[in-house]
Amino acid sequence: GQQVMQIPQYQHVQEGEDFTTYCNSSTTLSNIQWYKQRPGGHPVFLIQLVKSGEVKKQKRLTFQFGEAKKNSSLHITATQTTDVGTYFCAGHHSGAGSYQLTFGKGTKLSVIP
Amino acid sequence: DGGITQSPKYLFRKEGQNVTLSCEQNLNHDAMYWYRQDPGQGLRLIYYSQIVNDFQKGDIAEGYSVSREKKESFPLTVTSAQKNPTAFYLCASSVRSGTMYNEQFFGPGTRLTVL
C-alpha cells in the first residue's frame, strides 16, 4: 500500500530548543494533515495543508507542504514542556476516492525542562 | 456536547473470545474509521465506512469485522482469528468536502488486552 515515511522516530530536546519532524511520500498527496497525540491520549488535529508550497503558522508551530506535494515538515520554535507528545503526519494520496488517510509512524518528542 | 465516544476505555478478554468495541458519534459525520495503534507503529487502518450499510477493508482487516447500520454507530468486532489482538484501538470520524474528507476527529480509544 501507499506509505508516508516520517523521521525522526524520537527526538529529545532541551526546553527552549527548536524541533522539526519531516514527512515524505513516494507519490503525490492531495493534502497533508498533522496531528498531536499527548501521552495516554488520542490524536488531535492540528492543521491541514492543501496547496503546493503552502506554509501555515500556529504560534510557535510552522507547517510546510513541499512544492511537489510529496513532503511536509512541522517546526516548533523554542519548545516548551507542553509540546511533549507524538506528532503524526497523514496524507490523502491523489487519485479517485481520497478518503483513506495514510499516517506516518510519528515522531515522539520529549522536552527536558 | 458533540463528539465521539468509545467504550469501554480498558477491556480484558481471554484468548479465543470474540469482543466488540463500541464507537458512537453525534457529529453527523459521513465517514467513520477504525485504527489500531501499537507502540512505534503509528496508526494502521482496519476498516472504514463512508455511508450507512457500506464499509471497506483497510490495510489490516484480517481478523476483524464491522457493521454500519446507523450513521452514528460503527462497532468493531475483534474475532478469535486475529492473531495478536492486544493493542490500542481508535475510532474516528470525518465529514466529506467534495471528493475528499476533512480532518478526522478521534475518540478516546479502547485499550484491549487479551490474556
Side-chain angles (χ1 to χ4, degrees):
Chain A
Q2 291 162 329
Q3 290 186 332
V4 173
M5 307 302 293
Q6 189 174 355
I7 58 168
Q9 191 173 359
Y10 301 96
Q11 185 81 60
H12 304 273
V13 299
Q14 204 75 35
E15 189 174 16
E17 291 181 339
D18 292 356
F19 159 76
T20 305
T21 174
Y22 301 90
C23 274
N24 210 41
S25 169
S26 57
T27 59
T28 304
L29 300 170
S30 301
N31 62 21
I32 194 152
Q33 299 174 359
W34 286 91
Y35 293 80
K36 177 183 178 181
Q37 184 176 23
R38 294 182 186 274
H42 58 276
V44 174
F45 174 79
L46 294 176
I47 209 160
Q48 176 171 278
L49 304 172
V50 179
K51 298 176 184 175
S52 168
E54 190 170 13
V55 178
K56 286 189 176 180
K57 293 190 177 185
Q58 288 180 350
K59 297 183 181 178
R60 295 177 294 103
L61 277 62
T62 301
F63 304 85
Q64 291 188 316
F65 200 11
E67 293 290 339
K69 299 183 76 172
K70 289 185 176 182
N71 56 72
S72 181
S73 65
L74 157 60
H75 179 82
I76 302 178
T77 303
T79 54
Q80 300 175 357
T81 54
T82 52
D83 296 325
V84 163
T86 301
Y87 292 85
F88 294 97
C89 61
H92 281 108
H93 286 89
S94 295
S98 299
Y99 33 73
Q100 184 170 338
L101 203 55
T102 302
F103 281 81
K105 292 189 175 182
T107 297
K108 187 173 182 178
L109 173 64
S110 300
V111 178
I112 305 162
Chain B
D1 212 12
I4 301 179
T5 56
Q6 289 184 247
S7 59
K9 190 170 183 178
Y10 298 95
L11 190 55
F12 297 88
R13 277 295 181 269
K14 290 184 179 178
E15 196 172 341
Q17 288 182 335
N18 290 359
V19 60
T20 297
L21 311 185
S22 159
C23 178
E24 304 277 332
Q25 55 101 357
N26 61 5
L27 300 168
N28 199 33
H29 285 175
D30 307 298
M32 295 187 75
Y33 311 81
W34 273 106
Y35 293 92
R36 170 180 172 140
Q37 187 173 34
D38 297 283
Q41 291 296 317
L43 279 70
R44 293 184 290 170
L45 182 65
I46 305 172
Y47 268 98
Y48 61 98
S49 168
Q50 297 173 266
I51 196 169
V52 173
N53 292 323
D54 187 48
F55 46 83
Q56 286 81 39
K57 292 181 180 180
D59 299 320
I60 56 164
E62 187 176 346
Y64 299 97
S65 66
V66 293
S67 62
R68 185 91 185 272
E69 296 176 3
K70 297 185 299 181
K71 189 175 185 177
E72 305 79 30
S73 178
F74 191 40
L76 172 75
T77 297
V78 184
T79 75
S80 56
Q82 168 50 233
K83 293 179 182 176
N84 186 17
T86 295
F88 187 44
Y89 291 89
L90 287 157
C91 179
S93 70
S94 64
V95 66
R96 195 151 101 182
S97 175
T99 58
M100 290 200 303
Y101 286 91
N102 292 333
E103 69 268 26
Q104 294 189 4
F105 292 80
F106 285 83
T110 293
R111 199 166 294 276
L112 173 65
T113 302
V114 175
L115 305 170

